[in-house]
Amino acid sequence: MTYDLPPVLIEEPREGIPDVTHSDIDDAVARLARGHGPFAVDTERAMGIRYSNRAYLIQVRRPGAGTVLIDPVGIEDRLDGLREVMREEWILHSADQDLPSLHELGLTPTKVFDTEIAALILGYERHSLQAITEKLTGWTLAKEHSNSDWSQRPLPSELRAYAALDVELLHELRHKLTDQLVAAGRMSWFEQECEEVRTRTPKPPRKDPWRRYAHRVGILDRRALGMLRELWDARDALARERDVAPSKVISSTVLAELAESKPRSWSAIENSPLLEADDGLEDAKTWWKAIRTAWALDPHDLPQRKLTDKKTPHPPVNRWETMDPDAFDRWQVLRTTVLDLAEELGIRQEVLIKPAIQRMAAWEGWHTIDDLGAILRREGARPWQIDQVSGPIHQAAQEAGVVL
């Protein structure tokens, strides 16, 4: 059942606004242990405010136990009981956003039910928690506090209410989404996707993140690139020391523009309109030290103009037509087939099979349907995806004469 009437705003948890659990963590664990069934779980971080991406609040709800708000900061050594009792199924929305910070605390589920993945598998046009809740329950959730400072203590009642409501309806959503997945014959698709998220290896940090801003500003000079790298590292050290987001120290764009100007004197730093406009003069000595370090670098130690690490073994698709016409022809057939199939199934093409996997298959090419399946599997496609796409893709490629 879905609701077509205007949604009603739910402003406060049905059982009242819970307090934050901290020193009384053992009582909260005992309460959760007396409950039954899966846990509804969410986290709140302070991204863009604090330096780390850690969880400053963990929201947990379980039938028979109600909702518990846990402040884990400073009691990490007292969470063994919580780790043990929560080794069960979790219900989350956008699990890939919450699991990393929970893993840092040693909290891991045995199974995941991700409401966002369910919505995507079912072909929902809108898949935010708010949109799914409106569609399936007739309630709507306020989202004005999503970017609040969740590290502040004490936590105001309006933030505690907001946090508790994020897990208030997850069990109801799980029940209704399960019915829809079973009816659509897509439960196994959903389970495979959730298991991939649960077991996913975290991505390594991006190499040379400062290059994005060098490109934005248009820095080509290697000495200026070296300055930006040194300034970036200096800012990161200050941010870590102050426990604030790096952008709170000074903006990345200002750092790039400062590096592009290649200051040669302390006076140029001290009187820099860039730093003055961005409140960066208080750390002027730090910026000058970084710039002096960059000026002293041997030319061989300066960054190359382009990052040499190759992320993919093939060139951009827009160059295939001239570099490898056969691969380009396979791409045209494969891409069209996937888009048509996704439309037929009523889901997004990136849910059916990731574009990166599509490109790899087209670039390598294949002889048989088994060869195609092996490429898709190697690149991370799940069994349900391979079952859905390999036959239609291979048949279309054969008909177009582009199979190896």
Side-chain angles (χ1 to χ4, degrees), residues 73-347:
V73 181
I75 59 168
E76 293 85 354
D77 59 344
R78 296 183 54 199
L79 297 180
D80 286 347
L82 185 66
R83 295 176 184 118
E84 181 63 28
V85 78
M86 286 188 66
R87 285 203 50 81
E88 299 283 351
E89 179 183 353
W90 293 359
I91 312 166
L92 308 100
H93 184 84
S94 298
D96 60 331
Q97 300 297 308
D98 296 303
L99 288 178
S101 61
L102 291 164
H103 287 168
E104 287 180 4
L105 294 167
L107 298 168
T108 56
T110 58
K111 186 179 180 181
V112 161
F113 189 105
D114 189 325
T115 55
E116 181 181 51
I117 291 176
L120 289 168
I121 290 290
L122 290 166
Y124 283 24
E125 290 185 9
R126 299 166 60 225
H127 52 86
S128 67
L129 179 59
Q130 186 179 35
I132 299 171
T133 301
E134 289 177 5
K135 184 179 182 71
L136 297 182
T137 71
W139 295 103
T140 188
L141 302 171
K143 299 307 293 181
E144 68 266 20
H145 297 302
S146 59
N147 296 319
S148 297
D149 181 3
W150 291 95
S151 67
Q152 63 177 298
R153 295 296 181 269
L155 203 59
S157 61
E158 62 269 21
L159 291 189
R160 287 185 281 119
Y162 171 93
L165 286 172
D166 270 353
V167 293
E168 177 92 0
L169 301 173
L170 285 180
H171 287 89
E172 184 177 347
L173 295 182
R174 174 181 179 269
H175 175 73
K176 294 187 175 185
L177 289 167
T178 296
D179 286 347
Q180 292 186 8
L181 288 164
V182 171
R186 297 181 180 182
M187 194 65 190
S188 66
W189 302 7
F190 168 73
E191 290 174 341
Q192 290 174 41
E193 291 300 312
C194 286
E195 183 63 7
E196 189 280 326
V197 170
R198 188 185 76 85
T199 59
R200 182 182 299 170
T201 302
K203 289 183 179 180
R206 171 186 277 186
K207 185 174 182 180
D208 294 351
W210 47 267
R211 285 186 180 274
R212 175 184 173 190
Y213 291 89
H215 177 74
R216 182 176 297 179
V217 173
I219 299 177
L220 298 175
D221 181 84
R222 291 181 63 199
R223 184 70 61 182
L225 290 173
M227 285 186 184
L228 180 54
R229 182 180 64 187
E230 297 297 329
L231 287 165
W232 194 276
D233 290 344
R235 181 186 65 167
D236 191 74
L238 287 177
R240 187 186 305 110
E241 178 185 340
R242 298 170 184 174
D243 191 20
V244 297
S247 61
K248 295 290 185 181
V249 178
I250 191 171
S251 81
S252 299
T253 300
V254 167
L255 282 188
E257 291 174 346
L258 183 63
E260 183 189 31
S261 69
K262 294 196 295 185
R264 288 188 170 274
S265 67
W266 163 248
S267 177
I269 298 297
E270 191 178 27
N271 298 300
S272 169
L274 285 170
L275 296 178
E276 183 176 6
D278 201 50
D279 295 329
L281 286 176
E282 63 178 287
D283 297 309
K285 291 182 179 179
T286 298
W287 313 137
W288 176 233
K289 181 180 179 181
I291 288 168
R292 288 179 61 192
T293 299
W295 276 119
L297 288 173
D298 185 277
H300 294 292
D301 296 327
L302 294 173
Q304 296 298 317
R305 289 187 176 87
K306 292 185 178 180
L307 187 61
T308 55
D309 280 4
K310 203 171 185 180
K311 293 183 179 180
T312 59
H314 58 72
V317 173
N318 59 12
R319 293 167 56 192
W320 288 14
E321 190 170 12
T322 54
M323 294 184 65
D324 190 333
D326 291 339
F328 178 76
D329 291 342
R330 284 192 297 271
W331 169 249
Q332 295 292 96
V333 172
L334 188 154
R335 181 71 166 165
T336 300
T337 303
V338 169
L339 289 172
D340 289 346
L341 184 56
E343 183 176 1
E344 179 183 329
L345 292 170
I347 60 178

Side-chain angles (χ1 to χ4, degrees), residues 50-70:
R50 295 294 183 182
Y51 180 78
S52 76
N53 198 28
R54 68 171 302 157
Y56 282 94
L57 191 73
I58 305 171
Q59 304 102 283
V60 184
R61 182 173 178 82
R62 194 183 197 192
T67 299
V68 175
L69 304 182
I70 300 170

